[in-house]
Amino acid sequence: MAGELNEGSVPPYYREVYEAIRSKIEERVQVEVFQRLLSRTDLPSGVQGQIAEHVDYTDGFLSKLSLYKALALIALAQQGKQPSPKLLENCIQEFPKPQLGEFKDLQTLRMQPTQESPLTVPQTLGKLLARDTVQVELIPEKKGLFLKHVEYQITSQHFKISVYRRYSDFDVFHELLLQRFAYRMVPALPPKRISADGRDFIEGRRRALGRFINLVARHPFFSEDELVKTFLTFNGSDVQVKMRDACKKMGDEFMTNTMATLAKDYLPADIQAQFSSSRELIRNIHNSFHKLRDRAEKMAERSKENATDLLMFGRELSTLGSDGSPIPSLASSQSTWGILRQSLKGLSVEFALLADKGAQQGRREEDDVVEKLNLFLDLLQSYRDLCERHEKGVLHEHQRALQKYGMMKRQMMSATVQPKEQVSVEQLESRIVQQENAIQTMELRNYFSLFCLHQETQLIFTYLPITSHILGAFVNSQVQGHQEMGAVWNDLQQKLGCLFGVDEMQSPPLTPK
C-alpha cells in the first residue's frame, strides 16, 4: 500500500537526509538535530509544533521511520495541507520531497555541538545569586485622599535602575506571574493588611517583599522575561496596565515554551516515583529549616534583650552614683562609699558601649542569619505550593475532562441505539471531537507541568548550599560580637582595677559555692 511508511516506500531523498543527520554512534536522530532541521523548513511555528506532536521520540531520539514520517509531514505541510497521520494513510502517490535548503548544509546540523538535555538546569548557587540583587527600601509615607500608603524604591543591580512601587503593584505582579508561570515556583507575597504594631509590620513586609523580588529576579526562567523586566524597569505611572498588556501578549509559559509539546519525551520513566521521593525529602528539609529559623530568631531577640539589659544596668549605676545624699556621720569615718559613688557615675559609658555592641550583634543575626533562613524558607514554601497546584490543578482538570469525555461517549452510544434527530447526533459528535482535543491539550500540559516540576526540584537542590552561607554568617556574627564585647569588658575590668584597687577586684566570694 502506497500510504505505508517503510524503507521501500519513501523516496531516496528521505534515506539521504537520514544518513546526513543521524548520530554516528546510534542508528537514530537526536531530537535537537531534528528540531534544527524543522526550523529550516520556514513553516509557521504552530505547524512545526503540530508536526512534532505526531512524531514519536524515545530517550531523546527519533528512529529512522519516525524521521521518514516527519519528512513526509513536512513536505505535505509545505504544500499547504494540514499535517496529520491520517493524511499519510490516505496518500496514494509517492511521498513528496520536503524543501530543506541546500543538502550539503544538512550535515552541519549534526556537527553542531549537542546541547544538554533541556530537562537539566545547568545552574550553581553562585550563578543564581549573581543574576541580580534587588534592594527594596521604604520611602517617606505619602498621604492619599483618605489613607496614607507606603511606597518602595526598587533598585536592580542587573538593570541598573531604580523604580517606585506600591504594594498593589507587587500584588498585580504576583497575580500575573502565577498566570504566566503556573508550573514554576512563584514565591508568596506577605499579607496586605497592617497589624496593630504598624511600624514593625511595615518593616517586616519590606523585608518579605525584598525576599520575594530577589527570588523572582534570580530565577533562571523568570529573570529575562518581559513581565519581570517591566516590573523592575518601567518608570511610568501605569505600570499595572503595562504588566497586564505584556502578560496578555505573551500568554502562559505553555504557549511560548518550545519544549511544551516535547516534554513527555524527555521525562524519565520513573518521573512519578522521583517526584514523590523528592517531595518528601524537601518537606523534611523545610521542617528542619523552620526550626533553625525559629531558634535563630530567638537568639537574635536575646542579643537585643541583652543589649537593653546592659544599657539599663549602666543607667542604674549612673543613677546610684549621682545620688548626692549626705553620708551619715556614724559611717563617714570608715566608709569609702563617697569615693566609690563618684566612680560609679562614669561607668555608664562602658555599659552603653556594651549595649551598642550587643544591639549590633542582634542586628547582624537578624540581617545575615534570620533573613537568609527566611529567604530559603520562602523558596521551599513556593515549591510546596507548586506541588499542590500540580495535583489540585492540572491533574484534577485532566481527570474531570476524562470524566466528561466518558459521559459524552455514553450519550453517543445511547443516541445510536435510540434514533434521534440527525442534528443532535452531529452536535454531539462535534462536542466529542472538541473534548478529545481538550484532553490532548491537558495531557500535554500535564507532561509539561511534570517537566517544569522536575526542573524546579533541581533548583531547590541548587539552593541547598546556602546552608554553608547561613552557618558562615552565624559563626562570623558570634565571633565578631564576642571579640568586640570582650574588648570592652577587658577595658572595663582595667578601669575597675584603677578605680577600686586590685584587692577589691580579687576579693573572695561573698557566698559559698
Side-chain angles (χ1 to χ4, degrees):
M1 180 179 175
E4 290 181 353
L5 266 171
N6 54 55
E7 187 74 25
S9 67
V10 296
Y13 181 74
Y14 284 33
R15 292 187 285 275
E16 292 170 3
V17 171
Y18 168 74
E19 291 296 332
I21 66 173
R22 71 176 177 85
S23 169
K24 291 184 176 181
I25 300 173
E26 300 197 39
E27 297 292 318
R28 298 184 294 175
V29 176
Q30 292 172 306
V31 169
E32 292 87 350
V33 174
F34 170 66
Q35 288 173 339
R36 291 196 284 266
L37 177 74
L38 198 55
S39 66
R40 292 169 58 92
T41 62
D42 293 329
L43 290 170
S45 57
V47 176
Q48 290 184 30
Q50 291 175 0
I51 293 172
E53 286 180 29
H54 297 310
V55 176
D56 298 324
Y57 309 89
T58 304
D59 300 328
F61 286 90
L62 283 74
S63 67
K64 184 189 293 187
L65 291 182
S66 291
L67 177 68
Y68 291 166
K69 179 179 180 180
L71 293 174
L73 291 173
I74 289 171
L76 293 168
Q78 288 174 333
Q79 293 178 357
K81 299 175 182 177
Q82 187 72 16
S84 71
K86 288 186 178 180
L87 194 61
L88 299 181
E89 294 173 7
N90 298 329
C91 186
I92 58 175
Q93 300 177 349
E94 184 182 51
F95 292 115
K97 175 182 175 181
Q99 302 301 315
L100 303 175
E102 291 290 333
F103 183 81
K104 62 181 180 180
D105 296 334
L106 292 182
Q107 285 189 340
T108 63
L109 299 178
R110 183 180 61 191
M111 293 176 186
Q112 293 178 24
T114 303
Q115 301 176 353
E116 288 187 82
S117 168
L119 189 61
T120 303
V121 182
Q123 294 289 332
T124 63
L125 179 60
K127 287 181 180 179
L128 292 175
L129 297 179
R131 282 180 173 271
D132 202 355
T133 296
V134 185
Q135 299 292 335
V136 178
E137 300 295 339
L138 283 169
I139 62 174
E141 292 181 343
K142 291 186 177 181
K143 187 174 288 187
L145 292 175
F146 302 104
L147 295 170
K148 289 182 178 181
H149 67 261
V150 178
E151 199 164 11
Y152 305 92
Q153 183 181 37
I154 314 297
T155 306
S156 164
Q157 287 186 9
H158 175 65
F159 292 109
K160 296 179 175 58
I161 191 172
S162 291
V163 294
Y164 297 95
R165 299 286 181 259
R166 294 174 58 180
Y167 180 85
S168 59
D169 299 327
F170 276 94
D171 196 25
V172 171
F173 179 52
H174 180 258
E175 171 196 335
L176 295 175
L177 272 176
L178 282 172
Q179 291 178 19
R180 172 112 176 86
F181 296 103
Y183 310 124
R184 302 285 181 188
M185 293 185 294
V186 178
L189 280 182
K192 181 177 183 180
R193 293 184 178 179
I194 296 179
S195 63
D197 193 354
R199 183 174 298 179
D200 287 345
F201 175 85
I202 289 173
E203 171 59 18
R205 190 169 71 177
R206 181 195 68 80
R207 287 176 177 268
L209 291 174
R211 297 193 299 269
F212 163 79
I213 194 60
N214 274 284
L215 286 173
V216 169
R218 292 166 179 169
H219 194 292
F221 299 102
F222 296 171
S223 57
E224 296 300 328
D225 190 75
E226 191 62 32
L227 178 60
V228 177
K229 286 183 183 178
T230 301
F231 183 81
L232 290 175
T233 63
F234 183 71
N235 257 318
S237 59
D238 55 343
V239 63
Q240 295 183 18
V241 175
K242 190 78 173 176
M243 288 191 297
R244 291 188 189 279
D245 288 344
C247 193
K248 189 175 181 180
K249 288 178 183 177
M250 293 181 291
D252 76 335
E253 188 186 11
F254 178 79
M255 304 299 294
T256 58
N257 193 307
T258 56
M259 294 306 305
T261 58
L262 304 173
K264 178 182 178 181
D265 305 302
Y266 289 97
L267 292 174
D270 61 341
I271 181 64
Q272 291 292 353
Q274 287 191 32
F275 168 55
S276 297
S277 60
S278 297
R279 186 179 185 181
E280 182 62 26
L281 175 58
I282 291 171
R283 183 187 291 113
N284 294 336
I285 292 171
H286 191 190
N287 292 337
S288 294
F289 268 83
H290 251 299
K291 294 173 183 177
L292 288 172
R293 191 275 315 275
D294 291 345
R295 293 296 177 186
E297 280 184 337
K298 288 180 180 178
M299 285 187 282
E301 192 61 35
R302 281 200 298 269
S303 294
K304 290 186 284 186
E305 289 175 355
N306 185 45
T308 301
D309 290 339
L310 286 167
L311 183 63
M312 297 308 298
F313 190 89
R315 287 179 180 175
E316 290 300 332
L317 286 176
S318 180
T319 301
L320 188 60
S322 301
D323 185 3
S325 303
I327 300 173
S329 57
L330 62 92
S332 58
S333 61
Q334 298 294 326
S335 174
T336 59
W337 175 243
I339 299 172
L340 182 60
R341 185 171 62 183
Q342 292 275 336
S343 303
L344 291 177
K345 189 175 180 179
L347 295 180
S348 62
V349 175
E350 279 73 16
F351 279 95
L353 186 56
L354 283 169
D356 182 59
K357 298 298 183 185
Q360 288 180 25
Q361 178 169 346
R363 287 193 294 272
R364 279 196 303 271
E365 290 169 350
E366 202 169 54
D367 295 342
D368 298 339
V369 182
V370 175
E371 269 304 290
K372 285 185 174 71
L373 284 165
N374 278 328
L375 177 81
F376 191 46
L377 281 171
D378 288 351
L379 183 70
L380 291 169
Q381 183 59 52
S382 68
Y383 180 82
R384 295 182 72 164
D385 294 342
L386 173 63
C387 292
E388 288 187 10
R389 284 202 304 276
H390 172 74
E391 290 185 336
K392 295 181 180 179
V394 180
L395 291 180
H396 183 64
E397 289 178 6
H398 187 203
Q399 290 170 358
R400 286 180 58 188
L402 288 173
Q403 290 173 358
K404 186 176 179 181
Y405 177 72
M407 182 182 69
M408 287 180 175
K409 293 291 285 184
R410 288 192 295 272
Q411 290 176 349
M412 188 66 187
M413 290 176 65
S414 176
T416 55
V417 174
Q418 301 176 4
K420 295 186 177 181
E421 295 182 8
Q422 185 66 25
V423 176
S424 64
V425 173
E426 290 177 354
Q427 288 176 345
L428 193 56
E429 288 178 341
S430 175
R431 287 171 56 198
I432 288 175
V433 171
Q434 291 176 2
Q435 191 65 16
E436 287 174 344
N437 292 334
I439 288 172
Q440 185 180 18
T441 300
M442 286 181 186
E443 286 177 348
L444 290 174
R445 281 187 176 273
N446 179 39
Y447 286 122
F448 184 62
S449 178
L450 282 169
F451 182 91
C452 294
L453 198 50
H454 196 285
Q455 291 183 324
E456 300 301 287
T457 304
Q458 293 175 59
L459 283 180
I460 291 291
F461 287 100
T462 302
Y463 259 100
L464 269 175
I466 201 173
T467 309
S468 62
H469 292 219
I470 295 167
L471 287 174
F474 175 67
V475 171
N476 291 339
S477 171
Q478 297 299 316
V479 169
Q480 183 178 347
H482 283 80
Q483 286 177 343
E484 291 179 351
M485 293 186 74
V488 180
W489 282 117
N490 285 331
D491 291 344
L492 182 57
Q493 187 180 44
Q494 293 177 13
K495 186 175 182 178
L496 290 176
C498 294
L499 291 174
F500 308 133
V502 177
D503 292 340
E504 295 292 332
M505 294 287 293
Q506 295 179 347
S507 60
L510 300 178
T511 57
K513 292 183 180 178

